[in-house]
Amino acid sequence: MIRQVRLPDGEPVPALGQGTWRMGERADRRAEETASIQEGVDLGLSLIDTAEMYGDGATEAFLGEALAGIRDKTFLVSKAYPQNASRGRLARACDASLKRLKTDRLDLYLLHWRGSVPLEETVEAMQALVSAGKIRHWGVSNFDVDDVDDLIAAGGAACATNQVLYNLSRRGVEFDLLPRMSERRMPPMAYSPIEQGRLVTSSALIEIGRRHGLAPLQVALAWVMRRSDVITIPKAGRRDHVRQNRAAVDVALTTDELATLDAAFPAPRNKSALEML
Ligand code: NAP
């Protein structure tokens, strides 16, 4: 079983899930992508992250088919565009996502990034969807510290997570955002945990990987999961990648290895604006 992380209300979710950005968009990849998602669920990577934005709905529709018969084994996450975060539009956006995903509820619904709709209104709209049984939890994405503070001030204490860019080459959030979220017992959901594959050339990751018999990106993923509060969602459209990612959960990096990675990818010393991809 995959190690679990608890949401603020105590519900456990797997520390490793599956991202889906750019999935379900190409006919020639669809069979392998379907097999990857399904094998991932079998391996315990049952938290699946998507968004109405991905493929303009095509990714949700792809998941609706890929998860036929296994939806109840998953913890399904989708995200709404900021322009849909108002009282009237959020309910419609949610209904459209549910229809494409062929399900009657989302386990977690996120505001994709902050827009111009007042946070009070979005919080109310999210809570209304919880009351209606359309979503089980709600949260946000790409919120920096000030945004999290504003959200709490807007009545958003029930926010389950903040999905943010976090990997070895994007450590800025360690300075103040992750500590603030810890105070609020809000687990971070790390997106692009292997920097979309670009970390593969790091000599530190290659060397540590060689010692463990692992590929460098598995070490990069294990590094993100060294924190017991982090949920992460690498996207893998190939079964061999899903298996490699599953194996990374069980990798324990030594203190020396963590120090080597700190030297290659220094922790932040100052505040920097939250990065997004
Ligand atoms: P990522 O997960 O860091 O990297 C995905 C890339 O890495 C794909 O090209 C994939 O290739 C490859 N890959 C995966 N596992 C691998 C392995 N074991 N060995 C070698 N290559 C591997 O990047 P991401 O897709 O940007 O981020 C993950 C998810 O986070 C997204 O899919 C999305 O769900 C979410 N996200 C959210 C936001 C937001 O604003 N909230 C922004 C970006 C991403 P294959 O597909 O060929 O396996």
Side-chain angles (χ1 to χ4, degrees):
M1 181 167 146
I2 297 216
R3 184 167 60 71
Q4 310 276 300
V5 173
R6 287 195 185 275
L7 298 180
D9 70 355
E11 180 162 330
V13 296
L16 182 66
Q18 303 185 73
T20 63
W21 192 15
R22 305 208 173 88
M23 281 179 122
E25 294 185 37
R26 284 186 43 179
D28 59 331
R29 294 203 181 150
R30 202 169 175 101
E32 181 63 18
E33 288 174 346
T34 300
S36 301
I37 289 284
Q38 292 173 344
E39 181 158 341
V41 172
D42 275 348
L43 292 173
L45 282 61
S46 55
L47 182 150
I48 302 192
D49 176 76
T50 191
E52 62 173 343
M53 184 184 95
Y54 298 167
D56 209 9
T59 304
E60 288 182 330
F62 153 75
L63 283 175
E65 290 178 16
L67 299 178
I70 55 170
R71 189 270 173 260
D72 289 347
K73 292 186 185 169
T74 67
F75 186 96
L76 200 47
V77 185
S78 194
K79 312 184 205 77
Y81 275 121
Q83 62 268 31
N84 283 341
S86 62
R87 209 170 280 116
R89 291 180 69 155
L90 194 68
R92 283 200 292 281
C94 182
D95 280 341
S97 286
L98 292 174
K99 193 168 172 199
R100 286 188 290 267
L101 287 161
K102 296 195 169 79
T103 186
D104 59 355
R105 82 277 174 208
L106 292 171
D107 297 291
L108 175 62
Y109 199 27
L110 306 179
L111 170 60
H112 209 148
W113 63 91
R114 188 174 182 179
S116 57
V117 176
L119 291 173
E120 287 82 359
E121 184 174 340
T122 302
V123 169
E124 259 181 48
M126 288 287 191
Q127 300 287 16
L129 288 173
V130 172
S131 301
K134 302 252 172 117
I135 66 173
R136 297 182 51 247
H137 304 87
W138 66 268
V140 295
S141 178
N142 297 304
F143 269 42
D144 207 338
V145 178
D146 291 353
D147 302 311
V148 170
D149 289 347
D150 290 349
L151 180 70
I152 301 305
C159 176
T161 188
N162 179 18
Q163 185 182 109
V164 291
L165 176 61
Y166 182 49
N167 66 48
L168 268 168
S169 62
R170 313 273 193 168
R171 297 185 64 174
V173 294
E174 287 175 22
F175 187 75
D176 55 358
L177 181 59
L178 298 190
R180 176 73 99 259
M181 290 174 59
S182 268
E183 281 165 26
R184 305 224 56 97
R185 296 182 193 283
M186 195 192 289
M189 191 179 287
Y191 74 69
S192 310
I194 55 174
E195 186 61 18
Q196 300 182 330
R198 289 183 287 273
L199 287 169
V200 74
T201 55
S202 152
S203 49
L205 289 173
I206 293 169
E207 177 50 33
I208 294 169
R210 192 173 294 138
R211 264 184 254 148
H212 286 267
L214 296 169
L217 292 179
Q218 288 179 291
V219 179
L221 192 54
W223 180 86
V224 172
M225 286 188 291
R226 82 202 183 290
R227 285 180 63 116
S228 60
D229 60 342
V230 168
I231 303 160
T232 190
I233 47 169
K235 175 260 182 183
R238 289 172 36 174
R239 278 170 290 180
D240 57 334
H241 288 165
V242 171
R243 287 175 205 138
Q244 286 183 354
N245 295 346
R246 167 64 188 87
V249 182
D250 303 323
V251 175
L253 298 170
T254 65
T255 308
D256 282 355
E257 289 166 343
L258 290 172
T260 301
L261 292 173
D262 279 339
F265 300 96
R269 291 196 179 159
N270 303 296
K271 168 70 184 165
S272 56
L274 178 63
E275 296 178 279
M276 287 173 72
L277 279 181

